[in-house]
Amino acid sequence: MSGGGCSIVWFRRDLRIEDNPALSAGVRAGAVVAVFIWAPEEEGQYYPGRVSRWWLKHSLAHLDSSLRNLGTHLITKRSTDTVFSLLEVVKSTGATQLFFNHLYDSLSLIRDHRAKEVLNAQGVTVRSFNADLLYEPWDVNDAHGRPFTTFAAFWERYLSMPYDPESPLLPPKRIIPGDVSRCPSDTLVFENEAEKASNALLARAWSPGWSNANKALTAFINGPLIEYSKNRRKADSATTSLLSPHLHFGELSVKKVFHLVRIKQVLWANEGNMAGEESVNLFLKSIGLREYSRYICFNHPYSHERPLLGHLKFFPWVVNEGYFKAWRQGRTGYPLVDAGMRELWATGWLHDRIRVVVSSFFVKVLQLPWRWGMKYFWDTLLDADLESDALGWQYISGTLPDGRELDRIDNPQFEGYKFDPNGEYVRRWLPELARLPTEWIHHPWNAPESVLQAAGIELGSNYPLPIVGIDAAKNRLQEALSEMWQLEAASRVAMENGTEEGLGDSSESVPAAFPQDMQIEETHEPVRNNPLPVSRRYQDQMVPSITSSFVRVEDEETTSDLRISAEESSRAEVPENVNTQQNAGVTLNERMLQTAHRSTHIHYNTTMELINVAEDSAVESSSGTRRERDGGLVPEWSPSASSYSEQLVGDENGITSSSSYLQRHPQSHQLLNWRQLPQTG
DNA sequence: CACACTTTGTC
DNA sequence: ACAAAGTGT
C-alpha cells in the first residue's frame, strides 16, 4: 500500500538476494523498487573492460530473474549522473526511502555521500549497510584507535575481533513490488558486436549470477579447498577458488564465505588435519587481502593513483610503449611471463601467482609505470577490481609499508621452474615453444642451437629473445633507485627551505599516466628513455578478441621488432575508450565522508577529514564534466584546482621516509596520509 | 656440529 | 626488514 511510500533498493556491486542487508531492509519496510543504474562514464578512466562488462550483464540478468521469482523485477537505468537518476526514480515511484550497501572506493564514497545529501534534501530517508566486508573499515583499529598500516597487524586484529562478523541473512521469501508504472527501465548495452563475438567463449568457463556463485563456493569448499595450500604454487588455476569475479560483483557474500570456511576449519582442526587447517588459513588470508584492499582504499582514497609511500613518486619510470606492448602481447622473451600474458589476453583470468610474476616483471625488469599495468589489469581481468588491483600493484611496486623490497628482482626463469616445473603451462599458452624440452622451456635463450632447431624455434624470429636481460635490469634498477633517492632527498631539502611545491608539483598525483595521456606526463616526471613522440595519443587498451588473438600474435612475431611504430600500435587492440572525461570536480570533505557511512562516533580518520572542499561542485556536477583537461591528467575526483596546492604541501609533509620502509614505525600513519594539512604534519 | 652466509617468502 | 629454512665450511 502506498501509505508509507515504497523503498528503493539500489543495487551496485551486491548483485545477490541472499545476505543482502539493503534488500532485506527494503523488504521489511514494505514495497520495494529494485534499481540498477549503469553510469560507466562516471568511472572516468576506469570504464569497465570488456570481460567485466560481460560478467555484469549476465549477473544482472540472473538477479532480475531471481527478483521476478520473488514478485518484482529489476529496474535498469542508463545514466551519466547516478544521483540524478536516483532522484528521477524517487520522483517517478513516490519512494520515501533508499537503501543501499556500502562501497569503499573513493569514487563511490563521494558519489554515495552526494546521493545521501541530495535525497535527504528531498525528504527521502537513506540508509546504507555493510554487505561487502566482514567488518567495516572504521571498526578495525590498533590500540590507539588508528588504522593499521600493515596487513599482518590488520589481519591479526581481524581474526581476534571481540565479536564475530554478522551472520549471513537469508534471502527474502517474497517481495512486494513498488509501483513502477511510471518508471520504465532503460535497455542497458554492455557490449558491442565485436565484443559479443569475443565474449562468446566466456560462457563455457564461467557462470555469472549469485546462485551460480553459491554453487562455485560449495564446490570449492568441498573440493579444492583442502589442497589449497599444497597447490597454490602451481601456475594452473584449477586449484584456486575461482570466486573472485563472483565476489567482485557481490554475487557472493564474504560473510557467508567466511562462515562456511570456518566450519570446515573447525572440522579439520578436530580431525587433526593439519594440511586442511593450513589451507583454510591461507584461503582466509586471501579473503583478508580483499578486505584489506577495501580498508586501504577507505583510509587512503588515492591508493589507485599514488604510491602509498612517497619515494616512488621520484622513481624514473621507463616510459617505453614498445616494452608495454611486448608485455601485453606476451612477447618479452621470458616464457612464464609470456604465457601468463597470453592467458590473460585470451581468457581474462590469471592465477594469483602468475599475476605476481607478470606484474613484478613489469615493474622491476621493464620498470614501466605501475599504474599502466594496473590499468591493463583493470581492462582485461574478468575479476577486475580496483581496490584489489591497487593493493596488488602497490605491493609489487614496493610502495606499501609491508611490501616487498624494491631492489629485489624475481627471475622468471627460476619462478618458471617453481610454478611450472614441467613446462605444461608454458606449452599451453606458447604453442611456438611446445616442442622445446623442459630443460630449456623456461630459458630458451640458453638452449643449444640444435635443440632450438629441432623444436622449430628461431629466437628473435618466432619467439623473441629476452627483451631485457636480468643482469641489465638489475643494474638499471640500481641506477633508477639511486636516482630516486637523490631526487627524494633534493625534494626534502627544497621543502625544508620553503621552496614549496617547486619539485613536488602535481607530479605526485601523476606518477605516470596511462599512455592515452602520456604527453602531459612527460613534463612532470623524471623520465628516461622515451623513444616515442610525446604527441601520440593512445587508445585505451583492452583485450583483443579471443579468436583473433593468436593469429595476431603470430602475425606480428614475424616482424619481431620490439620498437613498434606509432601507426602499428595505434591499430587499436580495441574500441576507443568511450569516455575520457573524468569526474574531475567531484569533491568531498570531512563532513561528507564522515556522514557517508556512519554516524557520529568516528573521529579517528585523518584521511578523510582532510580532503578538500569545493562547495560548488555538487551542484555543477549534474551538468557533466567540469574540469576536463584535454589530454587529460589522471582522473582526480577530489581536489579542486584551488585547493590543490594546499594538499600538496600536506602530501610532501606526509611522505618523508628516506631510508627503507618505515624504519620508524611510529610515524607510519603520517607517512601514509595523503591529505595531511601542513599544520597537522 | 656449530657457524656464517644465501635463499625464500612475506601482501 | 626479517625470520625461517637451506647451504657451505
Side-chain angles (χ1 to χ4, degrees), chain A residues 102 104 128-131 133-140 158 161 163 291 295 597:
Chain A
H102 293 158
Y104 307 89
S128 59
F129 305 85
N130 168 23
L133 295 175
L134 299 176
Y135 299 104
E136 293 284 22
W138 49 87
D139 287 332
V140 183
Y158 235 68
M161 288 286 277
Y163 51 96
E291 303 273 313
Y295 187 79
H597 281 320

Side-chain angles (χ1 to χ4, degrees), chain A residues 447-552:
Chain A
E449 194 50 43
S450 58
V451 172
L452 290 173
Q453 242 168 34
I457 297 165
E458 195 184 330
L459 288 180
S461 172
N462 61 359
Y463 186 75
L465 282 159
I467 182 172
V468 179
I470 292 296
D471 287 339
K474 277 181 183 156
N475 292 335
R476 214 173 56 170
L477 189 57
Q478 287 307 330
E479 286 165 26
L481 286 174
S482 59
E483 189 177 337
M484 176 182 86
W485 292 123
Q486 275 171 27
L487 286 166
E488 196 258 8
S491 151
R492 222 181 26 251
V493 169
M495 293 301 298
E496 279 155 13
N497 294 345
T499 329
E500 31 85 44
E501 295 112 59
L503 249 172
D505 194 49
S506 43
S507 63
E508 47 74 278
S509 72
V510 192
F514 208 61
Q516 72 188 41
D517 37 34
M518 178 175 288
Q519 67 276 36
I520 298 256
E521 232 12 69
E522 176 253 10
T523 61
H524 288 207
E525 200 69 18
V527 150
R528 300 169 288 155
N529 302 345
N530 186 347
L532 288 168
V534 284
S535 61
R536 263 189 26 56
R537 290 198 133 245
Y538 243 55
Q539 311 287 329
D540 233 347
Q541 299 296 339
M542 296 190 217
V543 203
S545 82
I546 290 174
T547 44
S548 63
S549 63
F550 286 119
V551 180
R552 283 189 61 255

Side-chain angles (χ1 to χ4, degrees), chain A residues 373-392:
Chain A
M374 188 187 88
K375 176 66 161 56
Y376 185 70
F377 270 22
W378 170 254
D379 287 340
T380 54
L381 279 170
L382 198 59
D383 60 3
D385 182 285
L386 212 46
E387 295 92 320
S388 294
D389 285 351
L391 180 67

Side-chain angles (χ1 to χ4, degrees), chain A residues 13 36 93 144 215 219 263 269 378 405 414 424 518 525 628 643 661:
Chain A
R13 271 178 265 150
F36 180 86
T93 59
H144 307 290
K215 283 180 207 156
I263 288 170
W378 170 254
E405 258 160 356
F414 301 149
E424 291 152 2
M518 178 175 288
E525 200 69 18
E628 182 179 357
S643 52
Y661 308 111

